[in-house]
């Protein structure tokens, strides 16, 4: 990670946080638009869903304000059984356990002497009504300390009923957005996602992959931010066409059973392995916002 002056990235932090807010607004509008637009198929009689928006907060160990964000959750619509879209800006100091949760690699420059941090990001997880529509996750974020900065995140598809053409579309759209930043980015971040979203105790992936990066700092903040933005920009064109393609597909009790069992994989991964979950809980963020990713219903056999 590149060492920087303490004051150097104030403007860049504001740009990053502003982008995550903008992306959140785009996605929330698109998801509510999908609820309004899908008035045919097996769930057509359901009322279109709407997001409930709640401000979240983080309190430091001494009781002082340490940032927060917005938690937007929709439950029980035509398209979504549960979907959350969160944005946050948090800051303060990090204890040893939180430092471990914050960075994939040990040894954050200067953290032992000056444990201040700032972080902002967007995180979404969508669990669907129709089992033929794939669940999906997307998260991008920026971390800052007085001596270092880095970006992270990605997007991955989690169908319980797999369609190869859906997987191909999702990956092709991600690649089309990443290739302008260099032909090596997509294959590297795809491999990283395949490794990161693997469930060791099940000896399988939780879905069909996507892209993922962490501790990303090439020394060129603008280039790294542009890559992070395009991961976010890729999300809606990568996933919404799959909703359009599958939402009207009839489903039965066996399909619903497969969906609930597959959701168990998602819950296991997020509670046992996910670094974002660990970081949020270790640093005192609102637990409801941190655990927003969990499905409303799941099943284990």
């Amino acid at each position: 990670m590149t060492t920087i002056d303490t004051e150097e990235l104030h403007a860049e932090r504001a740009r990053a946080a502003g982008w995550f807010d903008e992306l959140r607004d785009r996605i929330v509008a698109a998801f509510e638009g999908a609820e309004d637009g899908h008035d045919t198929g097996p769930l057509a009689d359901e009322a279109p869903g709407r997001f409930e928006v709640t401000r979240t907060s983080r309190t430091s160990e001494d009781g002082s304000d340490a940032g927060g964000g917005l938690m937007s959750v929709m439950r029980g619509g035509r398209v979504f059984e549960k979907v959350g879209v969160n944005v946050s800006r948090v800051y303060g100091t990090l204890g040893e356990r939180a430092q471990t949760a914050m960075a994939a690699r040990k040894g954050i420059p200067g953290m032992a002497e000056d444990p201040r941090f700032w972080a902002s990001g967007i995180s979404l997880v969508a669990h669907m009504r129709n089992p033929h529509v794939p669940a999906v996750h997307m998260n991008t974020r920026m971390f800052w300390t007085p001596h270092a900065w880095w970006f992270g995140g990605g997007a991955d598809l989690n169908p319980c009923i797999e369609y190869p053409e859906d997987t191909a579309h999702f990956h092709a759209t991600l690649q089309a957005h990443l290739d302008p930043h260099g032909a090596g980015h997509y294959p590297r971040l795809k491999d990283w996602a395949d490794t990161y979203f693997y469930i060791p105790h099940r000896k399988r992936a939780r879905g069909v992959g996507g892209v993922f990066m962490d501790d990303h700092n090439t020394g060129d903040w603008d280039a790294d931010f542009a890559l992070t933005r395009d991961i976010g920009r890729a999300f809606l064109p990568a996933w919404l066409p799959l909703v359009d393609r599958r939402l009207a597909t009839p489903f039965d009790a066996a399909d619903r059973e497969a969906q609930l069992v597959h959701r168990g994989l998602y819950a296991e991964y997020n509670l046992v392995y996910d670094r974002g979950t660990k970081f949020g809980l270790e640093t005192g963020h609102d637990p409801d916002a941190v655990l927003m990713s969990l499905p409303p219903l799941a099943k284990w056999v």
Side-chain angles (χ1 to χ4, degrees):
M1 301 176 190
T2 301
T3 300
I4 57 174
D5 294 333
T6 303
E7 302 299 327
E8 184 177 345
L9 284 176
H10 287 321
E12 284 81 355
R13 292 189 319 198
R15 285 175 60 196
W19 162 248
F20 298 135
D21 289 345
E22 178 185 340
L23 182 58
R24 176 261 176 206
D25 292 346
R26 292 185 190 182
I27 290 171
V28 165
F31 284 3
E32 290 191 344
E35 285 284 326
D36 292 336
H38 288 285
D39 54 2
T40 60
L43 300 170
D45 292 337
E46 302 287 340
R50 286 294 180 268
F51 280 98
E52 298 178 4
V53 181
T54 305
R55 290 205 170 272
T56 63
S57 62
R58 175 181 175 270
T59 304
S60 65
E61 292 183 1
D62 64 6
S64 61
D65 172 68
L70 285 179
M71 176 174 64
S72 304
V73 179
M74 183 195 304
R75 299 176 177 87
R78 294 169 174 166
V79 178
F80 301 98
E81 187 168 359
K82 178 187 176 186
V83 56
V85 186
N86 291 355
V87 287
S88 63
R89 305 183 199 191
V90 296
Y91 45 83
T93 60
L94 291 178
E96 184 177 349
R97 290 178 61 182
Q99 290 178 36
T100 301
M102 185 177 185
R105 295 190 295 271
K106 294 182 180 179
I108 302 171
M111 184 58 73
E113 297 79 21
D114 189 347
R116 289 176 296 157
F117 84 101
W118 176 96
S120 181
I122 178 172
S123 180
L124 76 84
V125 178
H127 299 289
M128 312 311 296
R129 292 290 303 275
N130 189 323
H132 293 276
V133 180
V136 71
H137 156 262
M138 190 276 292
N139 162 267
T140 56
R141 55 191 178 270
M142 177 189 166
F143 286 113
W144 173 94
T145 76
H147 301 280
W149 55 264
W150 59 96
F151 291 95
D156 67 299
L157 197 66
N158 296 273
C160 68
I161 300 170
E162 295 182 19
Y163 292 92
E165 60 271 33
D166 291 1
T167 302
H169 170 84
F170 189 79
H171 279 270
T173 306
L174 293 175
Q175 183 172 3
H177 282 74
L178 267 60
D179 277 354
H181 301 275
H185 282 301
Y186 168 74
R188 180 174 66 87
L189 300 190
K190 177 187 180 300
D191 289 346
W192 201 335
D194 290 341
T195 300
Y196 184 76
F197 296 115
Y198 184 79
I199 306 174
H201 66 270
R202 295 291 185 184
K203 297 181 172 59
R204 60 156 295 173
R206 78 175 189 187
V208 295
V211 296
F212 182 78
M213 65 181 184
D214 219 341
D215 295 356
H216 182 74
N217 179 332
T218 66
D220 185 335
W221 191 91
D222 286 311
D224 294 346
F225 181 43
L227 175 64
T228 303
R229 286 200 311 268
D230 276 344
I231 291 173
R233 288 189 179 114
F235 171 72
L236 288 174
W239 184 70
L240 278 182
L242 309 184
V243 177
D244 295 338
R245 183 182 294 170
R246 303 296 171 196
L247 193 66
T249 304
F251 61 91
D252 57 20
D255 297 329
R256 177 63 169 169
E257 177 82 359
Q259 182 186 48
L260 294 179
V261 171
H262 191 270
R263 285 179 179 175
L265 292 174
Y266 202 94
E268 289 176 17
Y269 177 87
N270 277 35
L271 291 173
V272 177
Y273 301 110
D274 184 73
R275 284 184 47 239
T277 302
K278 293 178 181 178
F279 176 76
L281 295 177
E282 287 289 350
T283 56
H285 199 57
D286 187 321
D288 290 330
V290 175
L291 298 175
M292 169 273 295
S293 61
L294 295 179
L297 295 170
K299 186 172 184 178
W300 284 263
V301 295

